[in-house]
Coordinates of all heavy atoms in Angstrom, one line a residue:
M1 N -32.3 104.7 93.2 CA -32.3 106.0 93.9 C -32.5 107.1 92.9 O -32.0 107.1 91.7 CB -30.9 106.2 94.5 CG -30.8 107.5 95.3 SD -31.7 107.3 96.8 CE -31.1 108.7 97.7
K2 N -33.3 108.1 93.2 CA -33.5 109.3 92.4 C -33.1 110.5 93.2 O -33.3 110.6 94.4 CB -34.9 109.4 91.9 CG -35.3 108.3 91.0 CD -36.7 108.7 90.4 CE -37.2 107.6 89.4 NZ -36.3 107.3 88.3
Y3 N -32.5 111.5 92.6 CA -32.2 112.8 93.2 C -33.0 113.9 92.4 O -33.2 113.7 91.2 CB -30.7 113.1 93.1 CG -29.9 112.2 93.9 CD1 -29.2 111.1 93.4 CD2 -29.8 112.4 95.3 CE1 -28.5 110.3 94.2 CE2 -29.1 111.5 96.1 CZ -28.4 110.5 95.5 OH -27.7 109.6 96.3
Q4 N -33.3 114.9 93.1 CA -34.1 116.0 92.4 C -33.6 117.4 93.0 O -33.5 117.6 94.2 CB -35.6 115.9 92.6 CG -36.4 116.9 91.9 CD -37.9 116.7 92.0 OE1 -38.4 117.3 93.0 NE2 -38.5 116.0 91.2
F5 N -33.4 118.3 92.1 CA -33.1 119.7 92.3 C -34.4 120.4 91.9 O -34.9 120.3 90.8 CB -31.9 120.1 91.5 CG -31.6 121.6 91.6 CD1 -31.3 122.2 92.8 CD2 -31.5 122.4 90.5 CE1 -31.0 123.5 92.9 CE2 -31.1 123.7 90.5 CZ -30.9 124.3 91.8
T6 N -35.0 121.2 92.9 CA -36.3 121.8 92.7 C -36.2 123.3 92.9 O -35.6 123.8 93.8 CB -37.3 121.2 93.7 OG1 -37.4 119.8 93.5 CG2 -38.7 121.8 93.5
L7 N -36.9 124.0 92.0 CA -37.1 125.5 92.1 C -38.6 125.6 92.5 O -39.4 125.2 91.7 CB -36.8 126.2 90.8 CG -37.0 127.6 90.7 CD1 -36.4 128.4 91.8 CD2 -36.6 128.1 89.3
A8 N -38.8 126.2 93.6 CA -40.2 126.3 94.1 C -40.6 127.7 94.6 O -39.7 128.4 95.1 CB -40.4 125.3 95.3
F9 N -41.9 127.9 94.6 CA -42.5 129.2 95.0 C -43.3 128.9 96.3 O -44.0 127.8 96.4 CB -43.2 129.9 93.9 CG -42.4 130.3 92.8 CD1 -42.2 129.5 91.7 CD2 -41.6 131.5 92.9 CE1 -41.4 129.9 90.6 CE2 -40.8 131.9 91.8 CZ -40.7 131.1 90.7
F10 N -43.4 129.9 97.2 CA -44.1 129.7 98.4 C -45.1 130.9 98.7 O -44.8 132.0 98.2 CB -43.0 129.6 99.6 CG -42.1 128.5 99.4 CD1 -41.0 128.5 98.5 CD2 -42.3 127.3 100.1 CE1 -40.2 127.5 98.4 CE2 -41.4 126.2 100.0 CZ -40.4 126.3 99.1
D11 N -46.1 130.6 99.5 CA -47.0 131.6 99.9 C -46.5 132.4 101.1 O -45.4 132.2 101.6 CB -48.4 131.0 100.2 CG -48.5 130.1 101.4 OD1 -47.5 130.1 102.2 OD2 -49.5 129.4 101.5
A12 N -47.3 133.4 101.6 CA -46.9 134.2 102.7 C -46.6 133.5 104.0 O -45.9 134.0 104.8 CB -48.0 135.3 102.9
N13 N -47.2 132.3 104.1 CA -46.9 131.5 105.3 C -45.8 130.5 105.2 O -45.5 129.7 106.1 CB -48.2 130.7 105.7 CG -49.3 131.6 106.0 OD1 -49.2 132.6 106.7 ND2 -50.5 131.3 105.5
G14 N -45.1 130.6 104.0 CA -43.9 129.7 103.8 C -44.3 128.3 103.3 O -43.5 127.4 103.3
N15 N -45.6 128.1 102.8 CA -46.0 126.9 102.3 C -45.7 126.8 100.8 O -46.0 127.8 100.1 CB -47.5 126.6 102.5 CG -47.8 126.7 104.0 OD1 -47.2 126.0 104.8 ND2 -48.9 127.5 104.4
R16 N -45.2 125.7 100.3 CA -44.9 125.5 98.9 C -46.2 125.5 98.1 O -47.1 124.7 98.5 CB -44.1 124.3 98.7 CG -43.5 124.2 97.3 CD -42.6 123.1 97.1 NE -43.3 121.9 96.7 CZ -42.7 120.8 96.3 NH1 -41.4 120.7 96.1 NH2 -43.4 119.7 96.0
L17 N -46.3 126.3 97.1 CA -47.5 126.3 96.2 C -47.5 125.0 95.3 O -46.5 124.7 94.7 CB -47.5 127.5 95.3 CG -47.5 128.9 96.1 CD1 -47.3 130.0 95.1 CD2 -48.8 129.0 96.9
S18 N -48.6 124.4 95.3 CA -48.8 123.1 94.5 C -48.6 123.4 93.0 O -48.2 122.5 92.3 CB -50.1 122.5 94.8 OG -51.2 123.3 94.4
S19 N -48.9 124.6 92.6 CA -48.7 124.9 91.1 C -47.4 125.6 90.8 O -47.2 126.0 89.7 CB -49.9 125.7 90.6 OG -49.9 126.9 91.3
G20 N -46.6 125.8 91.9 CA -45.5 126.7 91.7 C -44.1 126.0 91.9 O -43.3 126.5 92.7
Y21 N -43.9 124.9 91.3 CA -42.5 124.3 91.4 C -42.3 123.4 90.2 O -43.2 123.0 89.5 CB -42.4 123.5 92.7 CG -43.2 122.3 92.8 CD1 -42.7 121.0 92.3 CD2 -44.5 122.3 93.3 CE1 -43.4 119.9 92.4 CE2 -45.3 121.1 93.3 CZ -44.7 119.9 92.9 OH -45.5 118.8 92.9
I22 N -41.0 123.2 90.0 CA -40.6 122.3 88.9 C -39.2 121.7 89.4 O -38.4 122.4 90.0 CB -40.4 123.0 87.5 CG1 -40.2 121.9 86.4 CG2 -39.3 124.0 87.5 CD1 -40.4 122.5 85.0
G23 N -39.1 120.4 89.1 CA -37.8 119.7 89.5 C -37.1 119.1 88.3 O -37.7 118.7 87.3
N24 N -35.8 119.0 88.5 CA -35.0 118.2 87.6 C -34.6 117.0 88.3 O -33.9 117.0 89.3 CB -33.7 119.1 87.2 CG -32.8 118.4 86.2 OD1 -32.9 117.2 86.0 ND2 -32.0 119.2 85.6
T25 N -35.0 115.8 87.8 CA -34.8 114.5 88.5 C -33.9 113.6 87.6 O -34.1 113.5 86.4 CB -36.2 113.8 88.7 OG1 -37.1 114.7 89.3 CG2 -36.1 112.6 89.5
W26 N -33.0 112.9 88.3 CA -32.2 111.9 87.6 C -31.9 110.7 88.6 O -32.1 110.8 89.8 CB -30.9 112.6 87.2 CG -30.1 113.1 88.3 CD1 -29.0 112.5 89.0 CD2 -30.2 114.4 88.9 NE1 -28.6 113.4 90.0 CE2 -29.3 114.6 89.9 CE3 -31.1 115.5 88.6 CZ2 -29.2 115.7 90.7 CZ3 -31.0 116.6 89.4 CH2 -30.0 116.7 90.4
N27 N -31.4 109.6 88.0 CA -31.2 108.4 88.8 C -29.8 108.4 89.4 O -28.9 109.0 88.9 CB -31.3 107.2 87.9 CG -32.7 106.9 87.5 OD1 -33.6 107.4 88.1 ND2 -32.8 106.1 86.5
G28 N -29.7 107.7 90.5 CA -28.4 107.5 91.2 C -27.6 106.6 90.3 O -28.1 105.9 89.4
N29 N -26.3 106.5 90.6 CA -25.4 105.6 89.9 C -24.6 104.8 90.9 O -23.9 105.4 91.7 CB -24.5 106.4 89.0 CG -23.9 105.5 87.9 OD1 -23.3 104.5 88.2 ND2 -23.9 106.0 86.7
P30 N -24.6 103.4 90.8 CA -23.8 102.6 91.7 C -22.3 102.9 91.6 O -21.5 102.6 92.6 CB -24.1 101.2 91.3 CG -25.4 101.3 90.6 CD -25.4 102.6 89.9
T31 N -21.8 103.4 90.5 CA -20.4 103.7 90.3 C -20.2 105.2 90.5 O -21.0 106.0 90.0 CB -20.0 103.4 88.9 OG1 -20.2 102.0 88.6 CG2 -18.5 103.6 88.7
A32 N -19.2 105.6 91.3 CA -18.9 107.0 91.5 C -18.8 107.8 90.2 O -18.2 107.3 89.3 CB -17.7 107.2 92.4
Q33 N -19.4 109.0 90.2 CA -19.5 109.8 89.0 C -18.9 111.2 89.4 O -19.1 111.6 90.5 CB -20.9 110.0 88.5 CG -21.6 108.7 88.2 CD -21.0 108.0 87.0 OE1 -20.8 108.7 85.9 NE2 -20.6 106.8 87.1
G34 N -18.3 111.9 88.5 CA -17.7 113.2 88.8 C -18.9 114.3 88.7 O -20.0 114.0 88.6
W35 N -18.5 115.5 88.9 CA -19.4 116.6 88.9 C -20.2 116.7 87.6 O -19.6 116.7 86.5 CB -18.7 118.0 89.2 CG -18.2 118.1 90.6 CD1 -16.9 118.0 91.0 CD2 -18.9 118.5 91.7 NE1 -16.7 118.3 92.3 CE2 -18.0 118.5 92.8 CE3 -20.2 118.7 92.0 CZ2 -18.4 118.9 94.1 CZ3 -20.6 119.0 93.3 CH2 -19.7 119.1 94.3
T36 N -21.5 116.9 87.7 CA -22.3 117.1 86.5 C -23.2 118.3 86.8 O -23.5 118.6 87.9 CB -23.2 115.9 86.2 OG1 -24.0 115.6 87.3 CG2 -22.4 114.7 85.8
Y37 N -23.6 119.0 85.7 CA -24.3 120.3 85.8 C -25.8 120.0 85.6 O -26.2 119.3 84.7 CB -23.8 121.2 84.7 CG -24.4 122.6 84.7 CD1 -24.2 123.5 85.7 CD2 -25.2 123.0 83.6 CE1 -24.7 124.7 85.7 CE2 -25.8 124.2 83.5 CZ -25.5 125.1 84.6 OH -26.0 126.4 84.5
K38 N -26.6 120.5 86.6 CA -28.1 120.3 86.5 C -28.7 121.7 86.5 O -28.2 122.6 87.2 CB -28.6 119.5 87.7 CG -27.9 118.2 87.9 CD -28.1 117.2 86.8 CE -27.4 115.9 87.1 NZ -27.7 114.9 86.0

């Protein structure tokens, strides 16, 4: 499993711009984990 937090920009119609986003991606963990900062 992967999770991603994305910061994205959108045009006037609310469509996400293909050149205007970046994500922070990390893997899931089978063992419960505490709060982490992304």
Side-chain angles (χ1 to χ4, degrees):
M1 183 75 169
K2 292 191 183 299
Y3 293 100
Q4 185 178 89
F5 176 55
T6 303
L7 174 55
F9 296 95
F10 299 80
D11 65 17
N13 296 318
N15 300 311
R16 189 170 89 167
L17 298 173
S18 60
S19 64
Y21 69 92
I22 191 166
N24 182 340
T25 306
W26 60 95
N27 290 343
N29 196 315
T31 305
Q33 303 293 308
W35 288 104
T36 57
Y37 183 66
K38 308 294 181 180

